[in-house]
Amino acid sequence: MLVRETTTRDALAVEGLGLTIGTREGALPLLADVTVRVGRGETVGLVGESGSGKTLTARTALGMLPRGARATGRVTAAGLDVLAAGRTDLRDLRRTRVSMVFQDPRAAINPLRRVGDHLTEGLRAAGTPRREAARRAVDLLDQVGIDDPAGAMRRHPHQFSGGMLQRIMIAGALATEPELLLADEPTTALDVTTQAEVVGVLRALQRSHGTGLLFVTHDLDLAAAVCDRIYVMYAGRIVEEADSASFAVAPAHPYTRALLDASPSVHGDQGPLRAIGGRPRSLAEAPSGCSFRDRCPRADHDCALGVPATRPHGTSHVACLRPEQVKP
Amino acid sequence: MTEPVLTVTSLVKKFGRVTAVDGVSFELAPGASLGIVGESGSGKTTTARVLAGLEEPTSGEVAVAGEHVRGRSRRARLRRARRLQMIFQDPYGSFDPRLTVAESVAEPLRLHAPGPAADVRARVDALLDQVGLSRRAGDSRPGELSGGQRQRAAIARAIAVAPRVLVLDEAVAALDVSVQAQILALLDDLRRETGISYVFVSHDLAVVRHATETAVVMRHGRIVERGPTERLLREPAHPYTRLLIDSVPRPGWDLERLARDRRALDAL
Ligand SMILES: Nc1ncnc2c1ncn2[C@@H]1O[C@H](COP(=O)(O)OP(=O)(O)OP(=O)(O)O)[C@@H](O)[C@H]1O
Ligand SMILES: Nc1ncnc2c1ncn2[C@@H]1O[C@H](COP(=O)(O)OP(=O)(O)OP(=O)(O)O)[C@@H](O)[C@H]1O
Ligand code: SF4
Ligand SMILES: [Mg+2]
Ligand SMILES: [Mg+2]
């Protein structure tokens, strides 16, 4: 069951988040009523196809809204009311209490700076003396499996492979022992063997620091293998929340079912893939009522009447009128 | 035994001191689909590019439909292109952004089988229909299409000249799963209907399982294991194949054991 400790505060609480952006044609909705929680030390997956709003959701936790966007609802990251916070508070939050790891490490690191400078930056900003910060950084590089960590501190990003550089980014993101780590497709650019190594490093560090992890991915198998709980996004909304044990065996939302049916697998018997018609949509392109109804095999008239409310079903929470019709 | 449609013999490709492909040999029967798997840098793309004539091999032979194909003269390239076509991960770069999709699909037809404009147009319509693209999509520029539609367009263009072999390099890797499943189904149908053969390059073992009957596993430019895809996945003989399979995420994933296996293999 999804009962949470209420005595300790969550690392991240996104409640009823809506996001719209002004364009020449008028206001364009990007996210609607998004609720996501990440407890301390918990690993939470955010899955969905492209354009569903995963990155937008993760970035609002750091107060990084697209230019011209308006947010409604409430976002609390490491105790800070992000949507109400000023620039100094947000800068402080990003430097020390909430970190982010991106898909492409090369785009996220300054190629001209040495790895050591990148790694000690947050610690120095938090007031750690230079020598102590360097010692901690070397230690972290060692923990993420970089050979000759002291030498690595003096090298530049281009001297590392993508997988090695992503480990360095993870080390940097966890250097200040943040309460929350946002990882946006951190292994999507890596091949399977490197992905397994990087995920291993990420999980080990996160566990030892008690960091809450929001793990954004479009890979359902990866989310199920890595996460405690999973949120499924479609067209700018959360359509299902499930614990990862029941996620693959008892999906509650027709979209989750469809995703699983369309995903090839190396494990188990090889069933035929069942493609869903159409393509994933953004919130602005989605039909009224249930966003999934133009692709849903279970859709009926009532699905057009309004956006289905989120309600409990089995061990999940689901925004669908007839989750009981979804076969396990 | 039917004559193989593609025979690759002792292929070697060096870039300076780097040996990207190191003695690769395989055969492909008509209507068959062969997977090439392996981690990043193992030489999959280089092998595919040599097959398609985009790179000259340092040594070794490639025969398509019994004919050895060599050289990069215009004539040689045309001869090869009629028998073997290649599809990339993001076909965007291979389309002329100023042409409509229908015009791009018509290009190889004009080049290889010139005929009256009306015939070309009819053939293009049939091809677009075959890959599930509407007429409207055909009249769009590549930039106006989704990734999945663009990949359909690339397939339509590649099969326009009825090649014997299609080489697909990570052709579904950039697509969302729901769209990926549509493209895999399309490739399946095409193969059944036309008897075309595939060389299916992918780092994704699950996709290869669905798209191929046999596969080769590459590591450091060499083939370390080959066989029926299902057998490779269920009973891998080479420790590297086993590592690849164990690296695929699943519940109860033992990441520490994987890291140990990896180190043991690197030490070999
Ligand atoms: N700055 C922006 N201005 C306008 N629209 C935007 C902006 N940023 C994102 N969007 C739109 O919002 C939607 C959600 O985008 P987001 O990047 O969060 O998707 P995602 O789930 O991370 O997808 P992917 O898997 O492709 O990374 C998309 O339709 C995108 O085009
Ligand atoms: N044009 C080139 N010049 C120099 N080296 C090259 C060139 N193309 C490939 N290589 C090298 O050849 C090796 C094999 O590369 P290749 O692209 O074939 O691998 P791959 O298996 O396709 O990897 P990926 O899964 O990352 O696509 C790599 O070491 C690569 O750096
Ligand atoms: S509400 Fe209706 S359309 Fe939406 S997912 Fe449920 S059954 Fe399908
Ligand atoms: Mg994203
Ligand atoms: Mg490649």
Side-chain angles (χ1 to χ4, degrees), chain A residues 49-50 191-193 195-197 199-200 221-222 225 259 262 264-271 273 275-280 295, chain B residues 39-40 146 176-182 184 203 205-207 209-210 230 233-234 243-244 247-251 253 255 258 262:
Chain A
E49 295 179 287
S50 61
D191 67 50
V192 276
T193 54
Q195 165 168 283
E197 288 177 84
V199 168
D221 285 339
L222 181 60
L259 275 183
S265 174
V266 277
H267 311 296
D269 286 333
Q270 181 183 8
L273 293 184
I276 341 173
R279 64 184 173 84
R295 304 175 74 195
Chain B
E39 68 194 324
S40 187
S146 69
D176 278 304
V177 276
S178 64
V179 178
Q180 175 179 286
Q182 295 165 6
L184 288 175
H203 68 278
L205 294 179
V207 164
R209 183 184 185 201
H210 274 270
E230 202 58 28
L233 291 175
R234 282 176 190 272
L243 179 77
L244 280 181
S247 299
V248 177
R250 61 157 179 278
W253 214 16
L255 291 164
L258 263 179
R262 173 72 190 228

Short mmCIF file of all heavy atoms in Angstrom, two decimals, chain A residues 49-50 191-193 195-197 199-200 221-222 225 259 262 264-271 273 275-280 295, chain B residues 39-40 146 176-182 184 203 205-207 209-210 230 233-234 243-244 247-251 253 255 258 262:
data_model
loop_
_atom_site.label_atom_id
_atom_site.label_comp_id
_atom_site.label_asym_id
_atom_site.label_seq_id
_atom_site.Cartn_x
_atom_site.Cartn_y
_atom_site.Cartn_z
N GLU A 49 5.89 8.34 -22.52
CA GLU A 49 6.54 8.52 -23.81
C GLU A 49 6.91 9.99 -24.02
O GLU A 49 6.62 10.83 -23.17
CB GLU A 49 5.62 8.00 -24.91
CG GLU A 49 5.42 6.51 -24.80
CD GLU A 49 4.49 5.98 -25.86
OE1 GLU A 49 3.27 6.23 -25.78
OE2 GLU A 49 4.97 5.33 -26.78
N SER A 50 7.54 10.29 -25.16
CA SER A 50 8.04 11.64 -25.34
C SER A 50 6.90 12.65 -25.38
O SER A 50 5.82 12.37 -25.89
CB SER A 50 8.89 11.73 -26.60
OG SER A 50 8.13 11.41 -27.72
N ASP A 191 24.92 2.36 -23.46
CA ASP A 191 24.50 1.01 -23.83
C ASP A 191 24.19 0.19 -22.58
O ASP A 191 24.46 0.62 -21.46
CB ASP A 191 25.52 0.34 -24.74
CG ASP A 191 26.82 0.06 -24.05
OD1 ASP A 191 26.81 -0.52 -22.95
OD2 ASP A 191 27.86 0.44 -24.60
N VAL A 192 23.59 -0.99 -22.77
CA VAL A 192 23.05 -1.74 -21.61
C VAL A 192 24.06 -2.04 -20.52
O VAL A 192 23.74 -1.93 -19.34
CB VAL A 192 22.39 -3.09 -21.98
CG1 VAL A 192 20.97 -2.89 -22.41
CG2 VAL A 192 23.19 -3.89 -22.97
N THR A 193 25.27 -2.44 -20.90
CA THR A 193 26.23 -2.81 -19.86
C THR A 193 26.65 -1.58 -19.06
O THR A 193 26.73 -1.62 -17.84
CB THR A 193 27.46 -3.52 -20.46
OG1 THR A 193 28.02 -2.68 -21.48
CG2 THR A 193 27.10 -4.85 -21.05
N GLN A 195 24.87 1.15 -18.78
CA GLN A 195 23.69 1.56 -18.04
C GLN A 195 23.62 0.83 -16.70
O GLN A 195 23.36 1.43 -15.65
CB GLN A 195 22.43 1.25 -18.84
CG GLN A 195 21.15 1.30 -18.02
CD GLN A 195 19.91 1.29 -18.89
OE1 GLN A 195 19.54 2.29 -19.47
NE2 GLN A 195 19.26 0.16 -18.97
N ALA A 196 23.85 -0.48 -16.74
CA ALA A 196 23.78 -1.26 -15.51
C ALA A 196 24.81 -0.76 -14.50
O ALA A 196 24.53 -0.64 -13.30
CB ALA A 196 24.01 -2.75 -15.81
N GLU A 197 26.01 -0.44 -14.98
CA GLU A 197 27.03 0.06 -14.06
C GLU A 197 26.65 1.40 -13.46
O GLU A 197 26.80 1.63 -12.26
CB GLU A 197 28.36 0.22 -14.80
CG GLU A 197 29.01 -1.10 -15.15
CD GLU A 197 30.27 -0.85 -15.94
OE1 GLU A 197 31.31 -0.61 -15.32
OE2 GLU A 197 30.21 -0.86 -17.18
N VAL A 199 23.66 2.76 -13.16
CA VAL A 199 22.54 2.62 -12.23
C VAL A 199 23.01 2.05 -10.90
O VAL A 199 22.59 2.50 -9.83
CB VAL A 199 21.43 1.74 -12.84
CG1 VAL A 199 20.40 1.36 -11.78
CG2 VAL A 199 20.75 2.45 -13.99
N GLY A 200 23.94 1.09 -10.96
CA GLY A 200 24.49 0.51 -9.73
C GLY A 200 25.14 1.58 -8.86
O GLY A 200 24.91 1.65 -7.65
N ASP A 221 10.91 -1.33 -18.12
CA ASP A 221 11.66 -2.38 -17.43
C ASP A 221 12.68 -1.76 -16.47
O ASP A 221 12.89 -2.25 -15.36
CB ASP A 221 12.42 -3.27 -18.43
CG ASP A 221 11.47 -4.21 -19.16
OD1 ASP A 221 10.37 -4.46 -18.64
OD2 ASP A 221 11.83 -4.68 -20.25
N LEU A 222 13.31 -0.70 -16.94
CA LEU A 222 14.31 -0.04 -16.10
C LEU A 222 13.65 0.56 -14.87
O LEU A 222 14.12 0.38 -13.75
CB LEU A 222 15.03 1.05 -16.92
CG LEU A 222 16.13 1.83 -16.19
CD1 LEU A 222 17.24 0.88 -15.72
CD2 LEU A 222 16.72 2.91 -17.10
N ALA A 225 12.77 -2.10 -12.43
CA ALA A 225 13.94 -2.70 -11.78
C ALA A 225 14.56 -1.79 -10.74
O ALA A 225 15.14 -2.25 -9.77
CB ALA A 225 14.99 -3.07 -12.83
N LEU A 259 1.32 0.20 -23.01
CA LEU A 259 2.78 0.37 -23.05
C LEU A 259 3.48 -0.97 -22.84
O LEU A 259 4.43 -1.31 -23.54
CB LEU A 259 3.25 1.32 -21.95
CG LEU A 259 3.22 2.81 -22.22
CD1 LEU A 259 3.80 3.55 -21.02
CD2 LEU A 259 4.02 3.17 -23.47
N ALA A 262 3.22 -3.19 -25.81
CA ALA A 262 3.99 -2.74 -26.97
C ALA A 262 5.49 -2.89 -26.75
O ALA A 262 6.28 -2.72 -27.68
CB ALA A 262 3.66 -1.29 -27.28
N PRO A 264 8.89 -4.78 -26.26
CA PRO A 264 9.52 -6.08 -26.40
C PRO A 264 10.29 -6.40 -25.12
O PRO A 264 10.67 -5.50 -24.39
CB PRO A 264 10.47 -5.90 -27.58
CG PRO A 264 10.71 -4.44 -27.70
CD PRO A 264 9.54 -3.74 -27.08
N SER A 265 10.49 -7.67 -24.84
CA SER A 265 11.21 -8.05 -23.63
C SER A 265 12.16 -9.18 -23.93
O SER A 265 11.91 -10.00 -24.81
CB SER A 265 10.20 -8.47 -22.56
OG SER A 265 10.90 -8.95 -21.44
N VAL A 266 13.26 -9.26 -23.20
CA VAL A 266 14.16 -10.41 -23.38
C VAL A 266 13.79 -11.53 -22.44
O VAL A 266 14.26 -12.64 -22.58
CB VAL A 266 15.65 -10.08 -23.10
CG1 VAL A 266 16.30 -9.48 -24.29
CG2 VAL A 266 15.84 -9.24 -21.88
N HIS A 267 12.97 -11.21 -21.43
CA HIS A 267 12.67 -12.23 -20.43
C HIS A 267 11.34 -12.90 -20.73
O HIS A 267 10.48 -12.33 -21.37
CB HIS A 267 12.62 -11.59 -19.05
CG HIS A 267 13.81 -10.73 -18.76
ND1 HIS A 267 15.08 -11.25 -18.69
CD2 HIS A 267 13.93 -9.41 -18.58
CE1 HIS A 267 15.92 -10.27 -18.45
NE2 HIS A 267 15.26 -9.13 -18.38
N GLY A 268 11.19 -14.11 -20.24
CA GLY A 268 9.93 -14.81 -20.35
C GLY A 268 9.65 -15.25 -21.78
O GLY A 268 10.50 -15.20 -22.65
N ASP A 269 8.40 -15.69 -21.97
CA ASP A 269 8.02 -16.15 -23.30
C ASP A 269 7.83 -14.96 -24.22
O ASP A 269 7.45 -13.88 -23.79
CB ASP A 269 6.72 -16.95 -23.22
CG ASP A 269 6.96 -18.32 -22.61
OD1 ASP A 269 8.10 -18.82 -22.75
OD2 ASP A 269 6.03 -18.85 -21.98
N GLN A 270 8.07 -15.21 -25.48
CA GLN A 270 7.97 -14.14 -26.44
C GLN A 270 6.57 -14.08 -27.03
O GLN A 270 6.23 -14.85 -27.90
CB GLN A 270 9.01 -14.35 -27.54
CG GLN A 270 8.99 -13.27 -28.57
CD GLN A 270 9.98 -13.55 -29.67
OE1 GLN A 270 10.57 -14.61 -29.75
NE2 GLN A 270 10.16 -12.58 -30.55
N GLY A 271 5.77 -13.16 -26.53
CA GLY A 271 4.45 -12.97 -27.12
C GLY A 271 4.56 -11.99 -28.27
O GLY A 271 5.57 -11.32 -28.40
N LEU A 273 4.09 -8.54 -30.19
CA LEU A 273 3.94 -7.16 -29.73
C LEU A 273 2.59 -6.65 -30.19
O LEU A 273 2.17 -6.91 -31.29
CB LEU A 273 5.02 -6.28 -30.37
CG LEU A 273 6.45 -6.55 -29.96
CD1 LEU A 273 7.36 -5.52 -30.59
CD2 LEU A 273 6.59 -6.52 -28.45
N ALA A 275 0.89 -3.26 -30.98
CA ALA A 275 1.09 -1.82 -31.13
C ALA A 275 -0.20 -1.10 -30.79
O ALA A 275 -1.29 -1.61 -31.01
CB ALA A 275 1.52 -1.52 -32.55
N ILE A 276 -0.09 0.12 -30.22
CA ILE A 276 -1.26 0.97 -30.05
C ILE A 276 -1.30 1.88 -31.26
O ILE A 276 -0.27 2.35 -31.71
CB ILE A 276 -1.18 1.92 -28.83
CG1 ILE A 276 -0.12 1.46 -27.83
CG2 ILE A 276 -2.54 2.14 -28.21
CD1 ILE A 276 0.11 2.48 -26.71
N GLY A 277 -2.49 2.15 -31.77
CA GLY A 277 -2.58 3.06 -32.90
C GLY A 277 -2.23 4.48 -32.49
O GLY A 277 -2.19 4.80 -31.30
N GLY A 278 -1.97 5.32 -33.46
CA GLY A 278 -1.70 6.73 -33.18
C GLY A 278 -0.34 6.93 -32.56
O GLY A 278 0.48 6.03 -32.53
N ARG A 279 -0.10 8.14 -32.06
CA ARG A 279 1.18 8.41 -31.44
C ARG A 279 0.95 9.19 -30.15
O ARG A 279 -0.13 9.73 -29.93
CB ARG A 279 2.05 9.22 -32.40
CG ARG A 279 1.50 10.57 -32.73
CD ARG A 279 2.35 11.31 -33.75
NE ARG A 279 1.69 12.53 -34.15
CZ ARG A 279 1.77 13.67 -33.48
NH1 ARG A 279 2.50 13.74 -32.39
NH2 ARG A 279 1.14 14.74 -33.90
N PRO A 280 1.99 9.20 -29.28
CA PRO A 280 1.83 9.92 -28.03
C PRO A 280 1.51 11.40 -28.27
O PRO A 280 1.92 11.97 -29.27
CB PRO A 280 3.19 9.78 -27.36
CG PRO A 280 4.01 8.90 -28.19
CD PRO A 280 3.29 8.57 -29.43
N ARG A 295 -7.01 6.80 -28.26
CA ARG A 295 -6.16 5.63 -28.52
C ARG A 295 -6.57 4.46 -27.64
O ARG A 295 -5.96 3.39 -27.73
CB ARG A 295 -4.69 5.96 -28.25
CG ARG A 295 -4.18 7.16 -29.04
CD ARG A 295 -2.76 7.50 -28.64
NE ARG A 295 -1.79 6.56 -29.17
CZ ARG A 295 -0.54 6.46 -28.73
NH1 ARG A 295 -0.11 7.24 -27.75
NH2 ARG A 295 0.29 5.59 -29.26
N GLU B 39 27.85 -4.03 -27.53
CA GLU B 39 27.75 -2.74 -26.87
C GLU B 39 28.34 -1.64 -27.75
O GLU B 39 28.81 -1.89 -28.86
CB GLU B 39 28.43 -2.78 -25.50
CG GLU B 39 29.92 -2.94 -25.56
CD GLU B 39 30.49 -3.32 -24.20
OE1 GLU B 39 30.00 -2.83 -23.17
OE2 GLU B 39 31.45 -4.09 -24.18
N SER B 40 28.28 -0.44 -27.24
CA SER B 40 28.75 0.73 -27.98
C SER B 40 30.22 0.56 -28.37
O SER B 40 31.04 0.15 -27.56
CB SER B 40 28.58 1.95 -27.09
OG SER B 40 28.87 3.10 -27.82
N SER B 146 6.24 13.29 -37.58
CA SER B 146 6.75 12.75 -36.32
C SER B 146 7.87 11.77 -36.64
O SER B 146 8.05 11.35 -37.79
CB SER B 146 5.63 12.02 -35.58
OG SER B 146 5.29 10.84 -36.28
N ASP B 176 9.35 6.16 -29.65
CA ASP B 176 8.61 5.77 -28.46
C ASP B 176 8.12 4.34 -28.59
O ASP B 176 7.83 3.89 -29.70
CB ASP B 176 7.38 6.69 -28.31
CG ASP B 176 7.78 7.99 -27.64
OD1 ASP B 176 8.34 7.93 -26.55
OD2 ASP B 176 7.55 9.04 -28.25
N VAL B 177 7.97 3.62 -27.47
CA VAL B 177 7.61 2.20 -27.57
C VAL B 177 6.35 1.95 -28.37
O VAL B 177 6.30 0.99 -29.14
CB VAL B 177 7.45 1.47 -26.22
CG1 VAL B 177 8.76 0.99 -25.70
CG2 VAL B 177 6.71 2.28 -25.20
N SER B 178 5.33 2.78 -28.20
CA SER B 178 4.09 2.50 -28.93
C SER B 178 4.31 2.63 -30.43
O SER B 178 3.74 1.87 -31.22
CB SER B 178 2.95 3.40 -28.44
OG SER B 178 3.20 4.76 -28.72
N VAL B 179 5.15 3.57 -30.82
CA VAL B 179 5.44 3.76 -32.24
C VAL B 179 6.44 2.70 -32.73
O VAL B 179 6.32 2.17 -33.83
CB VAL B 179 5.99 5.19 -32.47
CG1 VAL B 179 6.35 5.39 -33.93
CG2 VAL B 179 4.98 6.22 -32.01
N GLN B 180 7.39 2.37 -31.87
CA GLN B 180 8.36 1.32 -32.19
C GLN B 180 7.66 0.02 -32.54
O GLN B 180 8.01 -0.66 -33.51
CB GLN B 180 9.28 1.12 -30.98
CG GLN B 180 10.26 -0.01 -31.13
CD GLN B 180 11.16 -0.13 -29.90
OE1 GLN B 180 12.05 0.66 -29.68
NE2 GLN B 180 10.91 -1.13 -29.09
N ALA B 181 6.63 -0.32 -31.76
CA ALA B 181 5.90 -1.55 -32.03
C ALA B 181 5.22 -1.50 -33.39
O ALA B 181 5.14 -2.50 -34.10
CB ALA B 181 4.87 -1.80 -30.92
N GLN B 182 4.74 -0.32 -33.78
CA GLN B 182 4.11 -0.18 -35.11
C GLN B 182 5.14 -0.42 -36.22
O GLN B 182 4.85 -1.11 -37.20
CB GLN B 182 3.52 1.23 -35.28
CG GLN B 182 2.36 1.56 -34.33
CD GLN B 182 2.06 3.05 -34.29
OE1 GLN B 182 2.62 3.84 -35.04
NE2 GLN B 182 1.17 3.45 -33.40
N LEU B 184 8.00 -2.09 -36.01
CA LEU B 184 8.42 -3.49 -36.02
C LEU B 184 7.38 -4.36 -36.73
O LEU B 184 7.72 -5.28 -37.49
CB LEU B 184 8.66 -4.00 -34.59
CG LEU B 184 9.91 -3.45 -33.89
CD1 LEU B 184 9.96 -3.91 -32.44
CD2 LEU B 184 11.18 -3.87 -34.62
N HIS B 203 21.48 -2.29 -30.38
CA HIS B 203 22.05 -2.61 -29.08
C HIS B 203 20.96 -3.15 -28.16
O HIS B 203 21.24 -3.55 -27.04
CB HIS B 203 22.70 -1.38 -28.47
CG HIS B 203 21.68 -0.35 -28.11
ND1 HIS B 203 21.16 0.53 -29.03
CD2 HIS B 203 21.04 -0.12 -26.95
CE1 HIS B 203 20.24 1.27 -28.43
NE2 HIS B 203 20.14 0.90 -27.18
N LEU B 205 18.58 -5.85 -27.05
CA LEU B 205 18.38 -7.29 -27.22
C LEU B 205 16.91 -7.66 -27.36
O LEU B 205 16.56 -8.59 -28.08
CB LEU B 205 18.97 -8.04 -26.02
CG LEU B 205 20.48 -7.97 -25.85
CD1 LEU B 205 20.89 -8.75 -24.62
CD2 LEU B 205 21.19 -8.51 -27.08
N ALA B 206 16.04 -6.92 -26.65
CA ALA B 206 14.61 -7.25 -26.71
C ALA B 206 14.07 -7.00 -28.12
O ALA B 206 13.28 -7.79 -28.64
CB ALA B 206 13.85 -6.42 -25.68
N VAL B 207 14.50 -5.92 -28.73
CA VAL B 207 14.06 -5.60 -30.08
C VAL B 207 14.60 -6.65 -31.06
O VAL B 207 13.87 -7.14 -31.93
CB VAL B 207 14.52 -4.18 -30.47
CG1 VAL B 207 14.43 -3.97 -31.96
CG2 VAL B 207 13.69 -3.13 -29.73
N ARG B 209 15.32 -9.67 -30.43
CA ARG B 209 14.58 -10.92 -30.21
C ARG B 209 13.31 -10.94 -31.05
O ARG B 209 12.92 -11.98 -31.59
CB ARG B 209 14.24 -11.06 -28.73
CG ARG B 209 13.55 -12.35 -28.39
CD ARG B 209 13.17 -12.37 -26.95
NE ARG B 209 12.62 -13.65 -26.57
CZ ARG B 209 11.85 -13.83 -25.51
NH1 ARG B 209 11.57 -12.81 -24.72
NH2 ARG B 209 11.37 -15.01 -25.22
N HIS B 210 12.66 -9.79 -31.16
CA HIS B 210 11.42 -9.73 -31.89
C HIS B 210 11.60 -9.62 -33.40
O HIS B 210 10.71 -9.95 -34.16
CB HIS B 210 10.56 -8.56 -31.40
CG HIS B 210 9.72 -8.95 -30.23
ND1 HIS B 210 8.46 -9.46 -30.37
CD2 HIS B 210 9.99 -8.95 -28.92
CE1 HIS B 210 7.98 -9.75 -29.17
NE2 HIS B 210 8.89 -9.44 -28.28
N GLU B 230 16.83 -16.86 -30.25
CA GLU B 230 16.20 -17.36 -29.03
C GLU B 230 17.19 -18.21 -28.22
O GLU B 230 17.23 -18.11 -26.99
CB GLU B 230 14.96 -18.17 -29.43
CG GLU B 230 13.91 -18.33 -28.36
CD GLU B 230 13.36 -17.01 -27.81
OE1 GLU B 230 13.34 -15.99 -28.52
OE2 GLU B 230 12.96 -17.01 -26.64
N LEU B 233 19.75 -16.02 -26.42
CA LEU B 233 19.21 -15.34 -25.26
C LEU B 233 18.95 -16.28 -24.09
O LEU B 233 19.09 -15.92 -22.94
CB LEU B 233 17.91 -14.60 -25.63
CG LEU B 233 18.10 -13.42 -26.57
CD1 LEU B 233 16.76 -12.83 -26.98
CD2 LEU B 233 18.95 -12.34 -25.91
N ARG B 234 18.56 -17.51 -24.42
CA ARG B 234 18.24 -18.45 -23.34
C ARG B 234 19.45 -19.21 -22.82
O ARG B 234 19.55 -19.48 -21.64
CB ARG B 234 17.18 -19.45 -23.82
CG ARG B 234 15.80 -18.85 -23.82
CD ARG B 234 14.79 -19.82 -24.40
NE ARG B 234 13.52 -19.16 -24.61
CZ ARG B 234 12.58 -19.08 -23.67
NH1 ARG B 234 12.77 -19.62 -22.50
NH2 ARG B 234 11.45 -18.46 -23.92
N LEU B 243 26.76 -11.46 -20.18
CA LEU B 243 26.81 -10.13 -19.55
C LEU B 243 25.79 -9.18 -20.19
O LEU B 243 25.08 -8.45 -19.51
CB LEU B 243 28.22 -9.54 -19.67
CG LEU B 243 28.39 -8.14 -19.07
CD1 LEU B 243 28.48 -8.23 -17.55
CD2 LEU B 243 29.61 -7.43 -19.63
N LEU B 244 25.71 -9.24 -21.52
CA LEU B 244 24.75 -8.38 -22.22
C LEU B 244 23.33 -8.67 -21.74
O LEU B 244 22.55 -7.76 -21.47
CB LEU B 244 24.81 -8.62 -23.73
CG LEU B 244 25.92 -7.95 -24.53
CD1 LEU B 244 25.77 -8.32 -26.01
CD2 LEU B 244 25.90 -6.44 -24.37
N SER B 247 22.59 -7.61 -18.22
CA SER B 247 22.56 -6.15 -18.07
C SER B 247 21.19 -5.56 -18.38
O SER B 247 20.94 -4.40 -18.10
CB SER B 247 23.59 -5.49 -19.00
OG SER B 247 24.88 -5.92 -18.66
N VAL B 248 20.32 -6.35 -18.98
CA VAL B 248 18.97 -5.86 -19.28
C VAL B 248 18.19 -5.77 -17.98
O VAL B 248 18.11 -6.75 -17.25
CB VAL B 248 18.26 -6.79 -20.28
CG1 VAL B 248 16.83 -6.30 -20.53
CG2 VAL B 248 19.04 -6.88 -21.58
N PRO B 249 17.63 -4.58 -17.67
CA PRO B 249 16.96 -4.41 -16.39
C PRO B 249 15.80 -5.38 -16.19
O PRO B 249 15.05 -5.66 -17.12
CB PRO B 249 16.42 -2.98 -16.44
CG PRO B 249 16.96 -2.35 -17.65
CD PRO B 249 17.61 -3.37 -18.50
N ARG B 250 15.66 -5.88 -14.99
CA ARG B 250 14.51 -6.71 -14.63
C ARG B 250 14.39 -6.67 -13.11
O ARG B 250 15.35 -6.31 -12.43
CB ARG B 250 14.72 -8.14 -15.12
CG ARG B 250 15.92 -8.80 -14.51
CD ARG B 250 15.86 -10.30 -14.52
NE ARG B 250 17.09 -10.81 -13.93
CZ ARG B 250 18.22 -10.93 -14.57
NH1 ARG B 250 18.30 -10.61 -15.84
NH2 ARG B 250 19.30 -11.37 -13.96
N PRO B 251 13.24 -7.02 -12.58
CA PRO B 251 13.09 -7.00 -11.12
C PRO B 251 14.12 -7.94 -10.48
O PRO B 251 14.39 -9.02 -11.01
CB PRO B 251 11.67 -7.52 -10.91
CG PRO B 251 10.96 -7.26 -12.20
CD PRO B 251 12.00 -7.40 -13.27
N TRP B 253 17.27 -7.34 -10.19
CA TRP B 253 18.52 -7.08 -10.89
C TRP B 253 19.69 -7.07 -9.90
O TRP B 253 19.68 -6.26 -8.97
CB TRP B 253 18.36 -5.69 -11.45
CG TRP B 253 18.99 -5.43 -12.74
CD1 TRP B 253 19.44 -6.32 -13.64
CD2 TRP B 253 19.22 -4.12 -13.29
NE1 TRP B 253 19.93 -5.64 -14.74
CE2 TRP B 253 19.80 -4.30 -14.53
CE3 TRP B 253 18.98 -2.82 -12.84
CZ2 TRP B 253 20.15 -3.24 -15.35
CZ3 TRP B 253 19.32 -1.77 -13.65
CH2 TRP B 253 19.90 -1.97 -14.89
N LEU B 255 22.98 -5.87 -9.40
CA LEU B 255 23.95 -4.96 -10.01
C LEU B 255 25.37 -5.21 -9.53
O LEU B 255 26.32 -4.99 -10.28
CB LEU B 255 23.53 -3.51 -9.75
CG LEU B 255 22.26 -3.12 -10.51
CD1 LEU B 255 21.66 -1.85 -9.96
CD2 LEU B 255 22.57 -2.95 -11.99
N LEU B 258 26.76 -8.12 -11.49
CA LEU B 258 27.05 -7.66 -12.84
C LEU B 258 28.39 -6.94 -12.91
O LEU B 258 29.19 -7.17 -13.82
CB LEU B 258 25.97 -6.66 -13.27
CG LEU B 258 24.84 -7.19 -14.10
CD1 LEU B 258 23.88 -6.05 -14.41
CD2 LEU B 258 25.39 -7.75 -15.41
N ARG B 262 31.57 -8.06 -15.10
CA ARG B 262 32.14 -7.12 -16.05
C ARG B 262 33.65 -7.01 -15.88
O ARG B 262 34.41 -7.06 -16.83
CB ARG B 262 31.46 -5.76 -15.83
CG ARG B 262 32.05 -4.63 -16.62
CD ARG B 262 31.66 -4.85 -18.05
NE ARG B 262 32.37 -3.95 -18.92
CZ ARG B 262 31.78 -3.23 -19.87
NH1 ARG B 262 30.51 -3.30 -20.04
NH2 ARG B 262 32.48 -2.48 -20.66
#
